[in-house]
Amino acid sequence: MIGLISATAAGAAARDRLAAAWPDRTRVYEGPVGDAVRTAFAQCEQLVCFLATGAVVRLVAPLLSGKTEDPGVVCVDEGGRFAVSLLGGHAGGANELAREVGDLLGAEPVVTTATDAVDLAGLDTLGLPVEGDVAGVSRALLDGEAVALRAEVAWPLPPLPVAEEGSYTIRLTDRLVAADERQAVLRPPTLVVGVGASKGAPVEEVLGLVEDALRDAGLSVASVAELATVDAKAEEAGIVEAARRLGVPLVTYCAEELAGVDVPNPSDAPLAAVGTPSVAEAAALVGGGELLVPKRKSAASPAMATCAVVRRPGRGRLAVVGLGPGARDLLTPRAKAELRRASVLVGLDQYVDQIRDLLRPGTRILESGLGAEEERARTAVEEARTGQAVALIGSGDAGVYAMASPALAEASDDIDVIGVPGVTAALAAGAILGAPLGHDHVSISLSDLHTPWEVIERRVRAAAEADIVVTFYNPRSRGRDWQLPKALGILAEHRTPRTPVGVVRNASRPDESSRLTTLGALDPATVDMMTVVTVGNTATRDIAGRMVTPRGYRWQSAQEGSE
């Protein structure tokens, strides 16, 4: 919950805007400011104080406990010009909250955390437990000193400016190791603990068994991702409480699914009790991985709990990102976030140049020229399979005549794939022309490099006969100069020469140009590969120089009746 505190009418007005925008996230604290801050500090994960920073410093200073316990605090000035991350920038989420508040109120976020200031991913912001000399390693990264990454398990980390060797080290491991001097240890959630228990097994027995098994195997409890068991034990108190104390989810599977998992130590006892010859091993192995601790019983007599530990490989992450038509303000916030999240960027060289300034230090860039789409898709998938966080970029929307199709054709279920939509050329051109896509519409690429012309022609003819607005991608190049005239001729068999046609070149870019013409007047020689051509249907009209296709045909009938 975010506590909101203000002292003046102007502060209350801005406070109420936040409260209205985030009704489920915020709580307004009224009354004397000192009392309100103290109460909110104790009750909330974050605070937004519409007060001077000096006043807030004096109020919260006596309340501070520690970096990991204190809430994040953001201050907004009386004029609503700045949102200052004052306390708990990383651990309390104040840096991100300052950006959110700034976006909503039109204020400039002020973030002074060193790593954020130079756009480095802070080690305490990666979502992984971290221990050791975090401050020293972070300072080394900031100072440009050589910091080595020792990744003992694969995990899709964001970009970090690391080297092969260095006097400081980031160690990525699920092993039970102490951080050496000048070393920060990151704990990825790679371990799955399968658990079985008799009815009424005490939590101390279950939890003690899990902790002993991990310690004896040299594994860190901080890398446990989940406890897993059969669904018949989903409400077994000892298992449920053990998961709660470990701070991990409890995942359950049906007996039939567990019975189909090949395990080294099946038993008749669980088969008779819950319908599967294995609970602990099968529940740990059901998602695949390496069995590190075979089935182990608790030390109690009689033993009431069993467990097994599996290391699941870190899944690589492939984000297929649409960059939009070219203008920076048409690049979505989600796309920007994915570009900053990726440690490997794969893309066409000219598209990489568009967003190079958005990449974090340490991002590895794999760029290539025109005509290497399949190669880029394969490269991106291969990099993700090594456990990397990869962004594969394309213009417009990555799923429309772009990189998503070849990438997903290569990808299997061993990596996570995230699609990030972008503003595609048809939409960008449509917004410039007016509202040509107000009713049914279709996009057709006229490039026959990958699709036989016979197929393209059949699709154009179908759209012509169905009276659908058509947007032509890849309409004409120096080596393909006859396809557009042929397609326009097919449409002309079903539409009058007066049918509006919109022509937009380099939509949203500095050299953007557009014009509204007609099917009879369009000269195909004026069109190139950077152009999008939109041909209206029989209802499309030129209204005040704008191309408009009505949402319904009653409008058209009424207009024709008045002529």
Side-chain angles (χ1 to χ4, degrees):
M1 185 62 66
I2 303 172
L4 305 180
I5 301 104
S6 63
T8 66
R15 175 203 69 191
D16 292 344
R17 286 177 61 192
L18 280 189
W22 300 336
D24 298 327
R25 298 177 60 191
T26 58
R27 179 186 303 162
V28 173
Y29 285 80
E30 305 277 9
V33 169
D35 294 341
V37 168
R38 284 187 288 272
T39 304
F41 199 92
Q43 296 179 347
C44 297
E45 292 81 21
Q46 295 174 320
L47 278 69
V48 179
C49 300
F50 297 86
L51 304 165
T53 54
V56 177
V57 167
R58 286 189 292 271
L59 289 170
V60 303
L63 310 175
L64 300 180
S65 298
K67 184 175 182 178
T68 59
E69 293 84 20
D70 296 330
V73 179
V74 171
C75 293
V76 179
D77 66 288
E78 182 76 3
R81 297 171 299 168
F82 303 103
V84 182
S85 175
L86 183 69
L87 177 69
H90 285 168
N95 291 350
E96 183 57 33
L97 180 60
R99 296 184 183 98
E100 289 187 82
V101 171
D103 287 342
L104 188 60
L105 299 181
E108 180 72 22
V110 179
V111 176
T112 58
T113 307
T115 50
D116 288 51
V118 297
D119 207 21
L120 282 176
L123 298 180
D124 56 349
T125 68
L126 305 182
L128 304 178
V130 58
E131 58 195 61
D133 188 10
V134 179
V137 173
S138 297
R139 186 167 55 251
L141 288 170
L142 289 167
D143 291 344
E145 295 187 46
V147 177
L149 174 63
R150 289 175 54 192
E152 298 171 19
V153 292
W155 199 259
L157 293 175
L160 293 167
V162 293
E164 291 288 333
E165 300 291 337
S167 56
Y168 290 84
T169 306
I170 300 170
R171 186 174 180 182
L172 183 70
T173 183
D174 56 15
R175 306 295 302 177
L176 185 60
V177 295
D180 296 333
E181 186 180 359
R182 296 189 170 194
Q183 184 179 83
V185 177
L186 293 170
R187 304 287 190 189
T190 55
L191 305 178
V192 177
V193 180
V195 178
S198 303
K199 184 175 178 60
V203 61
E204 289 77 11
E205 183 172 344
V206 175
L207 188 59
L209 170 64
V210 170
E211 292 175 340
D212 288 348
L214 291 167
R215 183 182 61 253
D216 293 348
L219 299 170
S220 172
V221 69
S223 283
V224 175
E226 62 189 44
L227 293 193
T229 191
V230 65
D231 55 10
K233 298 295 180 178
E235 297 182 2
E236 185 64 46
I239 296 177
V240 172
E241 179 62 14
R244 190 194 69 79
R245 293 189 190 181
L246 289 170
V248 299
L250 176 62
V251 179
T252 64
Y253 302 95
C254 66
E256 291 79 7
E257 186 172 7
L258 295 184
V261 178
D262 186 28
V263 298
N265 300 293
S267 173
D268 292 334
L271 180 61
V274 294
T276 172
S278 171
V279 173
E281 287 181 339
L285 283 166
V286 70
E290 177 187 3
L291 183 63
L292 302 179
V293 180
K295 183 176 71 174
R296 171 172 173 162
K297 293 182 180 181
S298 56
S301 183
M304 299 184 71
T306 60
C307 81
V309 182
V310 164
R311 175 187 287 137
R312 287 184 184 169
R315 290 173 64 85
R317 189 175 191 277
L318 173 61
V320 188
V321 181
L323 300 181
R328 179 58 60 85
D329 60 352
L330 291 181
L331 178 66
T332 67
R334 187 179 301 180
K336 292 179 183 178
E338 288 295 343
L339 294 175
R340 291 165 53 79
R341 171 73 174 79
S343 60
V344 180
L345 182 85
V346 182
L348 179 67
D349 47 14
Q350 63 191 55
Y351 297 153
V352 171
D353 290 340
Q354 289 181 23
I355 49 81
R356 197 182 295 270
D357 63 300
L358 296 177
L359 304 178
R360 276 181 158 160
T363 305
R364 184 157 56 95
I365 300 173
L366 304 176
E367 54 188 317
S368 53
L370 286 168
E373 288 81 5
E374 287 80 5
E375 178 187 343
R376 283 194 291 275
R378 282 192 297 270
T379 298
V381 172
E382 288 167 2
E383 289 288 336
R385 283 182 176 143
T386 67
Q388 301 289 329
V390 181
L392 175 62
I393 60 173
S395 66
D397 182 280
V400 180
Y401 304 121
M403 295 305 302
S405 293
L408 269 61
E410 291 285 337
S412 49
D413 62 0
D414 57 344
I415 62 174
D416 295 326
V417 178
I418 298 91
V420 182
V423 179
T424 189
L427 302 181
I432 294 166
L433 295 170
L437 309 182
H439 209 287
D440 297 337
H441 54 274
V442 63
S443 296
I444 299 177
S445 171
L446 294 184
S447 172
D448 55 0
L449 295 177
H450 301 288
T451 306
W453 175 254
E454 293 76 14
V455 175
I456 297 172
E457 182 174 338
R458 186 165 64 247
R459 292 170 180 171
V460 174
R461 196 169 298 282
E465 293 173 353
D467 195 29
I468 296 176
V469 174
V470 182
T471 297
F472 288 124
Y473 282 69
N474 306 312
R476 184 178 182 274
S477 67
R478 281 178 292 184
R480 295 185 301 99
D481 59 0
W482 58 268
Q483 288 89 343
L484 179 59
K486 177 67 173 177
L488 294 174
I490 294 171
L491 293 177
E493 296 173 13
H494 300 270
R495 303 176 195 185
T496 71
R498 294 184 301 164
T499 301
V501 175
V503 181
V504 180
R505 188 176 190 279
N506 283 333
S508 86
R509 299 184 184 184
D511 56 346
E512 168 192 300
S513 64
S514 65
R515 68 184 188 277
L516 186 56
T517 182
T518 64
L519 187 57
L522 175 62
D523 179 5
T526 62
V527 173
D528 63 13
M529 282 289 287
M530 306 304 293
T531 305
V532 173
V533 178
T534 301
V535 182
N537 64 12
T538 56
T540 306
R541 295 290 184 269
D542 178 344
I543 301 176
R546 301 181 184 91
M547 189 175 178
V548 180
T549 302
R551 290 186 60 189
Y553 291 104
R554 292 192 184 95
W555 175 83
Q556 178 190 11
S557 300
Q559 185 188 56
E560 290 173 347
S562 65
E563 291 178 351

